[in-house]
Amino acid sequence: MTVIASDGITIAADGLSIYGHSEIGAGNIRKIVVEDKTVYAFSGAFAMMRPMINWYKAGYNPREVPPASGDVQWNMLVIDRDGPTLFGNHVPYSDRQVYPVTLGSGGDYAMAILLDGGTSRRAVEIACMKDAFCGGEIQVVNIAEALGIPRLEAAE
């Protein structure tokens, strides 16, 4: 239960933590992590985020996906110099994406805003207004800065 949105210049995520389908968790969580000039954005069972990042860094072999119970859902968007790639619990193979890209229960709202020319932040703000499972502090990361390349700016 998340919203993550990227317009290709920035990536933004809400900070709401939910257990199951009804209980709000304590505090805000950071769903975007930048390590080694790579951006990782995670939706779903948050406890899986670190094991999935480690799995990716180890070569993301589909036969070595960290185990989880059958009802655990997760998606991880990885952004590197080659662009965004999606991994998920249903199909743990790399799935190259094109911008704009969204994840989570608020993803449809966010995609509409991105397609209408809105920023990643604005897409997450709107999704948080409409999706009951999105909220909390919004985290925004500039992709170029995270990747260590010249900063990208939005077109006028």
Side-chain angles (χ1 to χ4, degrees):
M1 312 299 181
T2 289
V3 60
I4 295 170
S6 182
D7 55 14
I9 296 169
T10 60
I11 183 168
D14 73 318
L16 186 64
S17 171
I18 294 192
Y19 302 117
H21 291 282
S22 60
E23 183 181 351
I24 295 175
N28 283 285
I29 58 175
R30 308 288 278 178
K31 298 175 183 177
I32 303 170
V33 171
V34 178
E35 293 181 5
D36 305 320
K37 297 185 179 182
T38 303
V39 178
Y40 302 91
F42 200 83
S43 69
F46 190 70
M48 292 295 294
M49 186 174 192
R50 177 50 51 191
M52 295 315 304
I53 291 172
N54 293 342
W55 168 78
Y56 177 83
K57 288 179 173 184
Y60 55 92
N61 183 335
R63 290 183 213 95
E64 296 174 0
V65 174
S69 66
D71 60 343
V72 169
Q73 304 292 314
W74 60 266
N75 285 293
M76 182 172 68
L77 185 68
V78 178
I79 302 174
D80 59 19
R81 288 177 177 254
D82 293 329
T85 302
L86 182 64
F87 298 88
N89 66 293
H90 286 66
V91 181
Y93 298 95
S94 61
D95 184 9
R96 189 60 72 186
Q97 302 291 296
V98 296
Y99 295 110
V101 62
T102 63
L103 299 177
S105 64
D108 290 343
Y109 296 112
M111 183 59 79
I113 300 306
L114 292 174
L115 290 174
D116 194 45
T119 65
S120 300
R121 175 183 282 284
R122 188 64 179 150
V124 170
E125 288 171 347
I126 296 294
C128 289
M129 289 180 203
K130 298 304 292 177
D131 189 292
F133 300 107
C134 300
E137 293 178 20
I138 296 174
Q139 177 187 8
V140 180
V141 171
N142 181 283
I143 295 168
E145 287 178 2
L147 300 181
I149 59 178
R151 185 177 174 125
L152 303 172
E153 299 294 338
E156 294 292 324

